[in-house]
Amino acid sequence: MSNSRDSKDEKKKPRDPSRRRFLKGVGLASATAAVADKLWVEAEAAEKQQPATKRSLSGTVTVVLNVNGQKRTVQVEPRTTLLNTLRNHLEPQVTGPKLVCDAGTCGACTVLLDGKPVYSCLVLAVDAIGKQITTAEGLGSPESMNAVQSAFVEKDGLMCGFCTPGFITTISAYLKKNPNPSLTEVREACKGNFCRCGTYPRIFEAALAAAKSETSSAD
Ligand code: FES
Ligand code: FES
């Protein structure tokens, strides 16, 4: 019953002219847009009032790194790893450390931070500020190789060479700590570096030869 009355009432309602209905719709849309604009402006103002340190987290930061004895200034996001910064943001790039697993498992990205081997894929560039960063390039050059680099060439300690800069930085740091290691100790020192080509015997042979040449030149 009530349904039929409602439908009669409905019929009695003056019809809204389509133009008026359209204008109502436009008015509502404009009001919504005005509210959205206001909220946007307020959010922007609130962000500007934040301390500079908080604001900078949403963009890039200027980082000054000491790479192989040189000051290198670079703009990176705070989340950028040291490996990514060295390889992709510095100009010229430092490509000795290699990107392989990007997860701290293979050692191809090993660099020295204040003399200690670290996986640069696990270190943020901002955390390397104020530290000495040494890559394979900083240990020697093709014209003037360090003992480990020379021994790798002499003992043919590489195949594809992707793992080589990581092994060279690790072994160079280790020989400073232990200049006269045994084979077992060298193997232990290299346990964080993987060689997918399986060149381990020659790598270890090169490490022992480098140790020998260093100790004999010191005598
Ligand atoms: S790339 Fe960093 S440990 Fe593999
Ligand atoms: S030489 Fe190819 S991964 Fe080691």
mmCIF file of all heavy atoms in Angstrom, residues 54-89:
data_model
loop_
_atom_site.group_PDB
_atom_site.id
_atom_site.type_symbol
_atom_site.label_atom_id
_atom_site.label_comp_id
_atom_site.label_asym_id
_atom_site.label_seq_id
_atom_site.Cartn_x
_atom_site.Cartn_y
_atom_site.Cartn_z
ATOM 1 N N LYS A 54 64.078 16.715 8.820
ATOM 2 C CA LYS A 54 62.953 15.829 8.499
ATOM 3 C C LYS A 54 62.574 15.992 7.048
ATOM 4 O O LYS A 54 62.288 15.045 6.361
ATOM 5 C CB LYS A 54 61.757 16.178 9.372
ATOM 6 C CG LYS A 54 61.809 15.516 10.708
ATOM 7 C CD LYS A 54 60.458 15.541 11.344
ATOM 8 C CE LYS A 54 60.452 14.705 12.589
ATOM 9 N NZ LYS A 54 59.195 14.783 13.289
ATOM 10 N N ARG A 55 62.581 17.253 6.575
ATOM 11 C CA ARG A 55 62.155 17.506 5.205
ATOM 12 C C ARG A 55 63.078 16.833 4.213
ATOM 13 O O ARG A 55 62.644 16.278 3.227
ATOM 14 C CB ARG A 55 62.140 19.013 4.942
ATOM 15 C CG ARG A 55 60.739 19.571 4.951
ATOM 16 C CD ARG A 55 60.751 20.998 4.537
ATOM 17 N NE ARG A 55 61.262 21.850 5.580
ATOM 18 C CZ ARG A 55 62.004 22.908 5.378
ATOM 19 N NH1 ARG A 55 62.363 23.243 4.163
ATOM 20 N NH2 ARG A 55 62.424 23.633 6.380
ATOM 21 N N SER A 56 64.397 16.844 4.511
ATOM 22 C CA SER A 56 65.352 16.329 3.547
ATOM 23 C C SER A 56 65.184 14.824 3.320
ATOM 24 O O SER A 56 65.603 14.305 2.322
ATOM 25 C CB SER A 56 66.778 16.627 4.010
ATOM 26 O OG SER A 56 67.013 15.938 5.199
ATOM 27 N N LEU A 57 64.511 14.108 4.256
ATOM 28 C CA LEU A 57 64.352 12.671 4.103
ATOM 29 C C LEU A 57 63.487 12.315 2.900
ATOM 30 O O LEU A 57 63.532 11.217 2.400
ATOM 31 C CB LEU A 57 63.746 12.068 5.374
ATOM 32 C CG LEU A 57 64.686 12.036 6.561
ATOM 33 C CD1 LEU A 57 63.990 11.460 7.772
ATOM 34 C CD2 LEU A 57 65.925 11.214 6.260
ATOM 35 N N SER A 58 62.671 13.249 2.452
ATOM 36 C CA SER A 58 61.799 12.928 1.337
ATOM 37 C C SER A 58 62.467 13.230 -0.003
ATOM 38 O O SER A 58 61.893 12.984 -1.035
ATOM 39 C CB SER A 58 60.492 13.705 1.460
ATOM 40 O OG SER A 58 60.784 15.074 1.427
ATOM 41 N N GLY A 59 63.734 13.735 0.004
ATOM 42 C CA GLY A 59 64.394 14.045 -1.252
ATOM 43 C C GLY A 59 65.792 13.496 -1.278
ATOM 44 O O GLY A 59 66.027 12.376 -0.842
ATOM 45 N N THR A 60 66.713 14.288 -1.801
ATOM 46 C CA THR A 60 68.100 13.834 -1.820
ATOM 47 C C THR A 60 68.913 14.633 -0.806
ATOM 48 O O THR A 60 68.499 15.701 -0.382
ATOM 49 C CB THR A 60 68.719 14.013 -3.220
ATOM 50 O OG1 THR A 60 68.651 15.398 -3.564
ATOM 51 C CG2 THR A 60 68.008 13.177 -4.251
ATOM 52 N N VAL A 61 70.050 14.076 -0.449
ATOM 53 C CA VAL A 61 70.941 14.776 0.478
ATOM 54 C C VAL A 61 72.326 14.870 -0.173
ATOM 55 O O VAL A 61 72.667 14.049 -1.025
ATOM 56 C CB VAL A 61 71.079 14.035 1.836
ATOM 57 C CG1 VAL A 61 69.830 14.167 2.657
ATOM 58 C CG2 VAL A 61 71.418 12.574 1.636
ATOM 59 N N THR A 62 73.066 15.862 0.230
ATOM 60 C CA THR A 62 74.431 15.995 -0.268
ATOM 61 C C THR A 62 75.352 15.200 0.647
ATOM 62 O O THR A 62 75.316 15.356 1.866
ATOM 63 C CB THR A 62 74.863 17.473 -0.281
ATOM 64 O OG1 THR A 62 73.927 18.186 -1.067
ATOM 65 C CG2 THR A 62 76.256 17.647 -0.847
ATOM 66 N N VAL A 63 76.130 14.344 0.029
ATOM 67 C CA VAL A 63 77.021 13.474 0.802
ATOM 68 C C VAL A 63 78.444 13.697 0.312
ATOM 69 O O VAL A 63 78.680 13.734 -0.898
ATOM 70 C CB VAL A 63 76.599 11.993 0.574
ATOM 71 C CG1 VAL A 63 77.601 11.045 1.164
ATOM 72 C CG2 VAL A 63 75.225 11.729 1.148
ATOM 73 N N VAL A 64 79.368 13.871 1.237
ATOM 74 C CA VAL A 64 80.776 13.981 0.850
ATOM 75 C C VAL A 64 81.482 12.709 1.325
ATOM 76 O O VAL A 64 81.506 12.415 2.515
ATOM 77 C CB VAL A 64 81.446 15.230 1.471
ATOM 78 C CG1 VAL A 64 82.896 15.335 1.015
ATOM 79 C CG2 VAL A 64 80.677 16.487 1.100
ATOM 80 N N LEU A 65 81.997 11.960 0.369
ATOM 81 C CA LEU A 65 82.647 10.686 0.695
ATOM 82 C C LEU A 65 84.134 10.768 0.411
ATOM 83 O O LEU A 65 84.548 11.466 -0.530
ATOM 84 C CB LEU A 65 82.046 9.557 -0.159
ATOM 85 C CG LEU A 65 80.553 9.265 0.034
ATOM 86 C CD1 LEU A 65 80.088 8.216 -0.960
ATOM 87 C CD2 LEU A 65 80.260 8.809 1.461
ATOM 88 N N ASN A 66 84.895 10.056 1.213
ATOM 89 C CA ASN A 66 86.335 9.974 0.965
ATOM 90 C C ASN A 66 86.601 8.643 0.262
ATOM 91 O O ASN A 66 86.612 7.588 0.892
ATOM 92 C CB ASN A 66 87.096 10.055 2.297
ATOM 93 C CG ASN A 66 88.580 10.133 2.064
ATOM 94 O OD1 ASN A 66 89.099 9.594 1.080
ATOM 95 N ND2 ASN A 66 89.288 10.788 2.960
ATOM 96 N N VAL A 67 86.740 8.693 -1.055
ATOM 97 C CA VAL A 67 86.899 7.467 -1.844
ATOM 98 C C VAL A 67 88.322 7.404 -2.393
ATOM 99 O O VAL A 67 88.746 8.289 -3.150
ATOM 100 C CB VAL A 67 85.892 7.433 -3.013
ATOM 101 C CG1 VAL A 67 86.009 6.106 -3.774
ATOM 102 C CG2 VAL A 67 84.472 7.627 -2.515
ATOM 103 N N ASN A 68 89.053 6.393 -1.982
ATOM 104 C CA ASN A 68 90.434 6.192 -2.443
ATOM 105 C C ASN A 68 91.270 7.462 -2.287
ATOM 106 O O ASN A 68 92.010 7.875 -3.186
ATOM 107 C CB ASN A 68 90.433 5.710 -3.903
ATOM 108 C CG ASN A 68 89.753 4.364 -4.028
ATOM 109 O OD1 ASN A 68 89.813 3.544 -3.117
ATOM 110 N ND2 ASN A 68 89.082 4.135 -5.143
ATOM 111 N N GLY A 69 91.064 8.120 -1.131
ATOM 112 C CA GLY A 69 91.866 9.295 -0.794
ATOM 113 C C GLY A 69 91.369 10.592 -1.418
ATOM 114 O O GLY A 69 91.990 11.635 -1.217
ATOM 115 N N GLN A 70 90.256 10.541 -2.147
ATOM 116 C CA GLN A 70 89.729 11.778 -2.757
ATOM 117 C C GLN A 70 88.362 12.108 -2.184
ATOM 118 O O GLN A 70 87.549 11.207 -1.974
ATOM 119 C CB GLN A 70 89.554 11.588 -4.261
ATOM 120 C CG GLN A 70 90.858 11.522 -5.005
ATOM 121 C CD GLN A 70 90.631 11.502 -6.503
ATOM 122 O OE1 GLN A 70 89.594 11.029 -6.965
ATOM 123 N NE2 GLN A 70 91.577 12.002 -7.247
ATOM 124 N N LYS A 71 88.107 13.417 -1.978
ATOM 125 C CA LYS A 71 86.777 13.843 -1.522
ATOM 126 C C LYS A 71 85.847 13.850 -2.707
ATOM 127 O O LYS A 71 86.129 14.501 -3.730
ATOM 128 C CB LYS A 71 86.850 15.239 -0.906
ATOM 129 C CG LYS A 71 87.478 15.209 0.441
ATOM 130 C CD LYS A 71 86.994 16.317 1.331
ATOM 131 C CE LYS A 71 87.315 15.906 2.751
ATOM 132 N NZ LYS A 71 87.462 16.974 3.652
ATOM 133 N N ARG A 72 84.744 13.126 -2.601
ATOM 134 C CA ARG A 72 83.784 13.063 -3.699
ATOM 135 C C ARG A 72 82.424 13.514 -3.169
ATOM 136 O O ARG A 72 81.891 12.921 -2.228
ATOM 137 C CB ARG A 72 83.689 11.638 -4.251
ATOM 138 C CG ARG A 72 85.020 11.011 -4.629
ATOM 139 C CD ARG A 72 85.620 11.608 -5.879
ATOM 140 N NE ARG A 72 84.763 11.472 -7.034
ATOM 141 C CZ ARG A 72 84.789 10.445 -7.883
ATOM 142 N NH1 ARG A 72 85.657 9.475 -7.706
ATOM 143 N NH2 ARG A 72 83.982 10.412 -8.913
ATOM 144 N N THR A 73 81.873 14.586 -3.791
ATOM 145 C CA THR A 73 80.573 15.100 -3.358
ATOM 146 C C THR A 73 79.502 14.579 -4.298
ATOM 147 O O THR A 73 79.667 14.584 -5.516
ATOM 148 C CB THR A 73 80.591 16.648 -3.380
ATOM 149 O OG1 THR A 73 81.664 17.080 -2.552
ATOM 150 C CG2 THR A 73 79.287 17.224 -2.851
ATOM 151 N N VAL A 74 78.390 14.134 -3.716
ATOM 152 C CA VAL A 74 77.351 13.507 -4.532
ATOM 153 C C VAL A 74 75.979 13.741 -3.892
ATOM 154 O O VAL A 74 75.887 13.877 -2.671
ATOM 155 C CB VAL A 74 77.674 11.987 -4.695
ATOM 156 C CG1 VAL A 74 77.640 11.250 -3.392
ATOM 157 C CG2 VAL A 74 76.773 11.308 -5.700
ATOM 158 N N GLN A 75 74.950 13.827 -4.750
ATOM 159 C CA GLN A 75 73.565 13.962 -4.272
ATOM 160 C C GLN A 75 72.893 12.603 -4.371
ATOM 161 O O GLN A 75 72.808 12.049 -5.468
ATOM 162 C CB GLN A 75 72.777 14.904 -5.198
ATOM 163 C CG GLN A 75 73.101 16.354 -5.072
ATOM 164 C CD GLN A 75 72.432 16.968 -3.865
ATOM 165 O OE1 GLN A 75 73.098 17.616 -3.084
ATOM 166 N NE2 GLN A 75 71.152 16.741 -3.682
ATOM 167 N N VAL A 76 72.452 12.060 -3.261
ATOM 168 C CA VAL A 76 71.755 10.764 -3.303
ATOM 169 C C VAL A 76 70.573 10.786 -2.342
ATOM 170 O O VAL A 76 70.511 11.611 -1.439
ATOM 171 C CB VAL A 76 72.679 9.583 -2.903
ATOM 172 C CG1 VAL A 76 73.696 9.265 -3.976
ATOM 173 C CG2 VAL A 76 73.352 9.827 -1.560
ATOM 174 N N GLU A 77 69.652 9.855 -2.550
ATOM 175 C CA GLU A 77 68.583 9.680 -1.569
ATOM 176 C C GLU A 77 69.198 9.030 -0.329
ATOM 177 O O GLU A 77 70.151 8.254 -0.463
ATOM 178 C CB GLU A 77 67.491 8.768 -2.130
ATOM 179 C CG GLU A 77 66.680 9.412 -3.221
ATOM 180 C CD GLU A 77 65.556 8.511 -3.685
ATOM 181 O OE1 GLU A 77 64.971 7.785 -2.861
ATOM 182 O OE2 GLU A 77 65.278 8.540 -4.882
ATOM 183 N N PRO A 78 68.662 9.314 0.841
ATOM 184 C CA PRO A 78 69.247 8.730 2.063
ATOM 185 C C PRO A 78 69.260 7.214 2.049
ATOM 186 O O PRO A 78 70.051 6.585 2.723
ATOM 187 C CB PRO A 78 68.330 9.254 3.177
ATOM 188 C CG PRO A 78 67.701 10.470 2.609
ATOM 189 C CD PRO A 78 67.560 10.243 1.135
ATOM 190 N N ARG A 79 68.376 6.588 1.262
ATOM 191 C CA ARG A 79 68.309 5.117 1.234
ATOM 192 C C ARG A 79 69.312 4.500 0.251
ATOM 193 O O ARG A 79 69.357 3.282 0.099
ATOM 194 C CB ARG A 79 66.905 4.674 0.829
ATOM 195 C CG ARG A 79 66.563 5.124 -0.571
ATOM 196 C CD ARG A 79 65.204 4.714 -1.008
ATOM 197 N NE ARG A 79 64.932 5.260 -2.325
ATOM 198 C CZ ARG A 79 64.082 4.724 -3.164
ATOM 199 N NH1 ARG A 79 63.405 3.661 -2.824
ATOM 200 N NH2 ARG A 79 63.879 5.275 -4.337
ATOM 201 N N THR A 80 70.109 5.322 -0.438
ATOM 202 C CA THR A 80 71.015 4.798 -1.467
ATOM 203 C C THR A 80 72.195 4.068 -0.830
ATOM 204 O O THR A 80 72.850 4.590 0.074
ATOM 205 C CB THR A 80 71.543 5.940 -2.357
ATOM 206 O OG1 THR A 80 70.429 6.709 -2.777
ATOM 207 C CG2 THR A 80 72.289 5.424 -3.565
ATOM 208 N N THR A 81 72.478 2.879 -1.337
ATOM 209 C CA THR A 81 73.597 2.125 -0.765
ATOM 210 C C THR A 81 74.925 2.716 -1.237
ATOM 211 O O THR A 81 74.988 3.416 -2.266
ATOM 212 C CB THR A 81 73.559 0.645 -1.193
ATOM 213 O OG1 THR A 81 73.708 0.579 -2.612
ATOM 214 C CG2 THR A 81 72.282 -0.037 -0.757
ATOM 215 N N LEU A 82 75.967 2.380 -0.497
ATOM 216 C CA LEU A 82 77.308 2.834 -0.880
ATOM 217 C C LEU A 82 77.669 2.253 -2.248
ATOM 218 O O LEU A 82 78.234 2.942 -3.097
ATOM 219 C CB LEU A 82 78.307 2.394 0.204
ATOM 220 C CG LEU A 82 79.776 2.724 -0.052
ATOM 221 C CD1 LEU A 82 79.985 4.226 -0.242
ATOM 222 C CD2 LEU A 82 80.646 2.214 1.095
ATOM 223 N N LEU A 83 77.324 0.981 -2.473
ATOM 224 C CA LEU A 83 77.635 0.350 -3.761
ATOM 225 C C LEU A 83 76.974 1.106 -4.915
ATOM 226 O O LEU A 83 77.632 1.444 -5.910
ATOM 227 C CB LEU A 83 77.139 -1.111 -3.745
ATOM 228 C CG LEU A 83 77.319 -1.876 -5.062
ATOM 229 C CD1 LEU A 83 78.782 -2.005 -5.418
ATOM 230 C CD2 LEU A 83 76.676 -3.255 -4.979
ATOM 231 N N ASN A 84 75.701 1.390 -4.779
ATOM 232 C CA ASN A 84 74.962 2.116 -5.818
ATOM 233 C C ASN A 84 75.571 3.511 -6.019
ATOM 234 O O ASN A 84 75.732 3.978 -7.151
ATOM 235 C CB ASN A 84 73.490 2.206 -5.374
ATOM 236 C CG ASN A 84 72.594 2.799 -6.438
ATOM 237 O OD1 ASN A 84 73.051 3.239 -7.491
ATOM 238 N ND2 ASN A 84 71.310 2.831 -6.168
ATOM 239 N N THR A 85 75.957 4.152 -4.936
ATOM 240 C CA THR A 85 76.538 5.494 -5.030
ATOM 241 C C THR A 85 77.862 5.448 -5.796
ATOM 242 O O THR A 85 78.091 6.259 -6.706
ATOM 243 C CB THR A 85 76.779 6.064 -3.612
ATOM 244 O OG1 THR A 85 75.544 6.031 -2.915
ATOM 245 C CG2 THR A 85 77.303 7.490 -3.663
ATOM 246 N N LEU A 86 78.713 4.494 -5.427
ATOM 247 C CA LEU A 86 80.024 4.402 -6.094
ATOM 248 C C LEU A 86 79.856 4.104 -7.588
ATOM 249 O O LEU A 86 80.485 4.733 -8.431
ATOM 250 C CB LEU A 86 80.865 3.277 -5.458
ATOM 251 C CG LEU A 86 81.312 3.493 -4.012
ATOM 252 C CD1 LEU A 86 81.883 2.198 -3.438
ATOM 253 C CD2 LEU A 86 82.349 4.604 -3.925
ATOM 254 N N ARG A 87 78.999 3.154 -7.890
ATOM 255 C CA ARG A 87 78.886 2.682 -9.274
ATOM 256 C C ARG A 87 78.044 3.597 -10.167
ATOM 257 O O ARG A 87 78.301 3.708 -11.355
ATOM 258 C CB ARG A 87 78.265 1.276 -9.308
ATOM 259 C CG ARG A 87 79.168 0.189 -8.746
ATOM 260 C CD ARG A 87 78.526 -1.181 -8.946
ATOM 261 N NE ARG A 87 78.264 -1.440 -10.337
ATOM 262 C CZ ARG A 87 79.158 -1.926 -11.194
ATOM 263 N NH1 ARG A 87 80.348 -2.257 -10.768
ATOM 264 N NH2 ARG A 87 78.852 -2.112 -12.464
ATOM 265 N N ASN A 88 77.007 4.224 -9.576
ATOM 266 C CA ASN A 88 76.033 4.916 -10.434
ATOM 267 C C ASN A 88 75.880 6.406 -10.202
ATOM 268 O O ASN A 88 75.248 7.079 -11.012
ATOM 269 C CB ASN A 88 74.651 4.261 -10.286
ATOM 270 C CG ASN A 88 74.699 2.788 -10.626
ATOM 271 O OD1 ASN A 88 75.291 2.403 -11.621
ATOM 272 N ND2 ASN A 88 74.105 1.956 -9.783
ATOM 273 N N HIS A 89 76.375 6.921 -9.099
ATOM 274 C CA HIS A 89 76.138 8.346 -8.823
ATOM 275 C C HIS A 89 77.398 9.189 -8.875
ATOM 276 O O HIS A 89 77.316 10.395 -9.086
ATOM 277 C CB HIS A 89 75.431 8.510 -7.473
ATOM 278 C CG HIS A 89 74.047 7.932 -7.460
ATOM 279 N ND1 HIS A 89 72.941 8.628 -7.895
ATOM 280 C CD2 HIS A 89 73.600 6.706 -7.108
ATOM 281 C CE1 HIS A 89 71.861 7.857 -7.797
ATOM 282 N NE2 HIS A 89 72.243 6.686 -7.322
#
